Amino acid sequence: MSFKVEKINTQPFSDQKPGTSGLRKKVTVFKQPHYLENFVQSIFDTLKDCNGQTLVLGGDGRYYNRQAIQVILKMAAANGFGRVIVGAGGLLSTPAASCLIRKYQTLGGIILSASHNPGGENGDFGIKYNINNGGPAPEQFTGAMYARSREIDVYQIAVADDIDIDRPGETSLGDMTIEVMDPVADYAELMTTLFDFDRISDYLKTGSLKICIDAMHAITGPYARAIFEQSLGAAAGSVIRAEPLEDFGGGHPDPNLVYAKELVELIYADNGPDFGAASDGDGDRNMILGKRFYVTPSDSLAVLAANADCVPGYRDGLAGVARSMPTSQAVDRVAEKLGIKSYETPTGWKFFGNLLDAGKATLCGEESFGTGSNHVREKDGLWAVLFWLNILAVKQKPVADIVTEHWQTYGRNYYSRHDYEAVESDRAERLMQQLRSTVTGLPGKTFGDYQIEYADDFSYTDPVDGSVSEQQGIRLGFTDGSRIIVRQSGTGTEGATLRFYYERHEADPAKQNLDPQQALAPLFEIAEAHMQIQENTGRDRPSVIT
Ligand code: G16
């Protein structure tokens, strides 16, 4: 293939600051001339020496994935990379990309996804760099990328025909080799080393556990079919919405009770499945459902930690657990009983990387439907489903029984998140600033039956490298352990999204069966009284409640 490198003069864009997880913008923003190229060159410039290095490349298949892959391949070749491993069709789930980076010890990887955000021509697109441990680049790196993007004036790209990324095999572009790989095989193989596939498969064959996995027309379809239907022998059709589509079939690939409506209807129907799960755009999130039963992500993490001895890959014990700050404290109680440490990090999977690398934590989780372990350095939706299936195959009990028995032992952490999406940025900023200015005066104050024990803007000092991340969300902690947390999302692409997280612990089994919205109502009232949420947001209710 003919090959010539061109140096293109460009001007910086001022808005290429990565958020909670990479750069996410509307497709229309990414399609501006030089926009994608500037950001990719900023990544390469930050890496400095790319000569002869190997990169993993793939995405969740959303609109613009294929075009972006062609641009990145040509830029990688022009910047001296020796090899790029690409998922066939340009597809790689986020956990599979992390798996490949680790397995083939590459310099890193570029993942194209806007995760749970909608896709299509008018939807969102995203790009993120993962480092050689397979995890998202830490803040120092993303900060340097952003700084570079503010001063960039030239990028390099090969002038060449488009590369065939659909057929597995090797091709070359100048001195660079492009290896198109089956996106599923290595990841599926890794799963067999962690879970008892025979036991799960035998249990599925008894017919006592009918499962339904909703891939939401996003990346997990091919993975879920290979693992659940082909390897484990679940009935054909157990994976629904299995075909990855560029616009996710017009849906919102966010696995929660609102956006996975079809699955929720099935699980609540007579003769519906006994176990349901959904994944997001890029396959790193999960939602777990039992028959007419929803497991909150925070409870899911706690249950996995408490039952890790059922699973071969974790039978030798957990080094520790970690959760993001807004995630409920349910897993802390399990850690205490196990005599291991529970780490509290800011929101963003990147903060777990150091803990996993240093062997301080084995399982990690977030309230935002993310759970994972030290097997890769990303959260992993299908891994969480397999973990649950392994526990079910050992316990041979319904999901609801496992969770309610868990509550009886540890107490129930009632939990709910209220999101106000696409709020005007200055309104959201005003609410945050007003709240921030009150925190120092709050400890000792009472609101009805509740007294504030501490109030702060969460600051995290990484126990491994000592780096400090400030202003990670306002915490109001009450003397009974209840909490209200407020933070601005770092993944939205329209205005500002405000998130309010509410949590209350209930030790009495007789009081553990309330609707969380009812159980948490006193905390909603405190938040409204103190923050005037309705007035400040201009909304009379949240856009999404999970
Ligand atoms: C990303 C991050 C998660 C975070 C989530 C929500 O997930 O990796 O750590 O919890 O965003 O972040 P925010 O509350 O700032 O919107 P994903 O699945 O979108 O990559």
Side-chain angles (χ1 to χ4, degrees):
M1 198 181 277
S2 76
F3 180 84
K4 186 175 135 242
V5 171
E6 254 186 10
K7 290 190 177 192
I8 311 281
N9 292 326
T10 185
Q11 305 243 320
F13 291 88
S14 59
D15 64 345
Q16 297 197 322
K17 184 170 190 200
T20 313
S21 184
L23 185 69
R24 288 189 192 164
K25 300 277 175 200
K26 294 271 165 223
V27 166
T28 45
V29 173
F30 267 104
K31 275 186 159 176
Q32 296 171 87
H34 312 304
Y35 193 89
L36 172 70
E37 291 86 345
N38 273 19
F39 191 70
V40 172
Q41 189 65 52
S42 301
I43 297 175
F44 292 162
D45 289 351
T46 306
L47 288 170
K48 298 199 170 76
D49 190 9
C50 308
N51 253 326
Q53 299 280 6
T54 303
L55 194 67
V56 166
L57 177 62
D60 63 11
R62 68 178 59 224
Y63 179 81
Y64 206 51
N65 193 58
R66 294 180 75 89
Q67 295 92 316
I69 289 211
Q70 294 295 341
V71 168
I72 297 168
L73 284 173
K74 290 172 193 173
M75 289 186 68
N79 279 272
F81 275 92
R83 189 178 196 85
V84 180
I85 298 172
V86 195
L91 300 178
L92 276 181
S93 77
T94 289
S98 184
C99 162
L100 293 181
I101 294 169
R102 294 171 69 76
K103 181 164 181 176
Y104 298 105
Q105 299 181 356
T106 71
L107 178 69
I110 291 182
I111 303 175
L112 304 172
S113 171
S115 185
H116 54 290
N117 296 10
E121 240 178 300
N122 298 311
D124 292 348
F125 189 73
I127 172 166
K128 137 178 125 149
Y129 183 73
N130 280 29
I131 58 174
N132 62 355
N133 73 351
E139 279 194 333
Q140 303 91 296
F141 190 95
T142 55
M145 256 153 58
Y146 175 52
R148 181 69 196 134
S149 77
R150 299 296 303 265
E151 56 193 27
I152 191 161
D153 56 7
V154 64
Y155 64 83
Q156 302 192 63
I157 187 161
V159 185
D161 293 338
D162 276 0
I163 297 102
D164 177 0
I165 53 169
D166 291 306
R167 241 174 321 140
E170 285 193 3
T171 45
S172 54
L173 185 55
D175 292 336
M176 187 179 88
T177 303
I178 297 168
E179 184 177 357
V180 178
M181 255 194 199
D182 169 5
V184 177
D186 286 299
Y187 173 82
E189 204 244 342
L190 175 62
M191 293 301 112
T192 64
T193 66
L194 301 172
F195 301 105
D196 192 340
F197 269 53
D198 289 342
R199 195 156 185 174
I200 300 173
S201 172
D202 288 348
Y203 190 45
L204 288 172
K205 277 184 206 136
T206 64
S208 328
L209 186 75
K210 205 165 113 195
I211 68 170
C212 181
I213 312 293
D214 185 355
M216 304 188 90
H217 285 311
I219 190 71
T220 46
Y223 293 85
R225 273 199 173 142
I227 293 171
F228 300 109
E229 294 185 9
Q230 284 147 31
S231 290
L232 290 170
S238 297
V239 183
I240 60 169
R241 299 201 277 174
E243 220 55 64
L245 299 175
E246 282 199 333
D247 66 348
F248 309 120
H252 197 139
D254 198 356
N256 59 37
L257 295 173
V258 179
Y259 296 123
K261 205 165 139 255
E262 199 176 317
L263 173 71
V264 174
E265 277 167 10
L266 283 173
I267 210 97
Y268 279 84
D270 295 338
N271 296 323
D274 308 288
F275 176 88
S279 227
D280 68 334
D282 60 331
D284 56 2
R285 295 185 176 205
N286 73 91
M287 175 173 69
I288 302 292
L289 301 167
K291 207 173 193 44
R292 300 197 178 90
F293 193 89
Y294 163 65
V295 186
T296 69
S298 299
D299 277 346
S300 178
L301 173 65
V303 169
L304 300 192
N307 294 286
D309 57 351
C310 294
V311 178
Y314 305 92
R315 200 161 277 154
D316 293 342
L318 307 176
V321 291
R323 62 168 174 82
S324 67
M325 182 273 282
T327 303
S328 99
Q329 301 161 102
V331 74
D332 300 0
R333 294 175 182 272
V334 178
E336 200 183 335
K337 191 160 176 206
L338 293 173
I340 57 175
K341 205 166 155 49
S342 181
Y343 295 88
E344 184 177 45
T345 63
T347 295
W349 203 263
K350 58 191 172 212
F351 292 102
F352 294 135
N354 278 352
L355 298 172
L356 294 166
D357 284 350
K360 288 182 180 294
T362 309
L363 298 189
C364 307
E366 295 189 282
E367 51 66 42
S368 56
F369 298 86
T371 339
S373 87
N374 57 356
H375 67 291
V376 289
R377 291 294 181 273
E378 286 280 4
K379 54 189 186 273
D380 189 343
L382 295 186
W383 168 91
V385 176
L386 284 164
F387 207 126
W388 266 97
L389 291 180
N390 204 147
I391 293 173
L392 294 174
V394 172
K395 303 236 166 212
Q396 312 224 338
K397 280 182 187 171
V399 171
D401 290 8
I402 290 174
V403 178
T404 45
E405 284 167 21
H406 183 95
W407 293 339
Q408 283 157 17
T409 308
Y410 297 94
R412 176 175 183 184
N413 286 70
Y414 280 111
Y415 190 82
S416 185
R417 184 176 103 184
H418 290 188
D419 292 341
Y420 292 75
E421 294 177 341
V423 173
E424 288 156 47
S425 301
D426 49 347
R427 279 174 172 267
E429 204 44 58
R430 193 171 57 224
L431 185 147
M432 290 303 287
Q433 264 170 20
Q434 278 174 6
L435 180 58
R436 207 167 269 133
S437 68
T438 65
V439 286
T440 46
L442 284 177
K445 271 208 167 162
T446 52
F447 292 87
D449 295 341
Y450 289 83
Q451 185 177 24
I452 297 204
E453 188 177 337
Y454 62 89
D456 60 11
D457 196 344
F458 182 57
S459 165
Y460 177 67
T461 303
D462 186 298
V464 180
D465 64 18
S467 58
V468 178
S469 304
E470 288 174 328
Q471 296 207 331
Q472 298 294 324
I474 312 282
R475 306 191 289 184
L476 309 188
F478 297 85
T479 49
D480 70 343
S482 297
R483 297 191 307 166
I484 300 174
I485 314 284
V486 188
R487 58 179 285 281
Q488 261 196 64
S489 157
T491 59
T493 56
E494 221 178 311
T497 294
L498 282 170
R499 304 204 196 282
F500 297 79
Y501 311 78
Y502 301 94
E503 173 184 11
R504 174 170 86 76
H505 183 254
E506 178 56 70
D508 182 356
K511 297 181 184 157
Q512 289 173 350
N513 288 318
L514 293 178
D515 173 348
Q517 300 308 311
Q518 190 190 340
L520 295 165
L523 294 174
F524 304 158
E525 280 166 26
I526 294 173
E528 179 55 39
H530 187 63
M531 302 171 212
Q532 292 85 45
I533 301 171
Q534 293 196 13
E535 191 188 320
N536 275 318
T537 59
R539 308 279 174 80
D540 61 359
R541 71 182 71 119
S543 341
V544 179
I545 295 180
T546 48

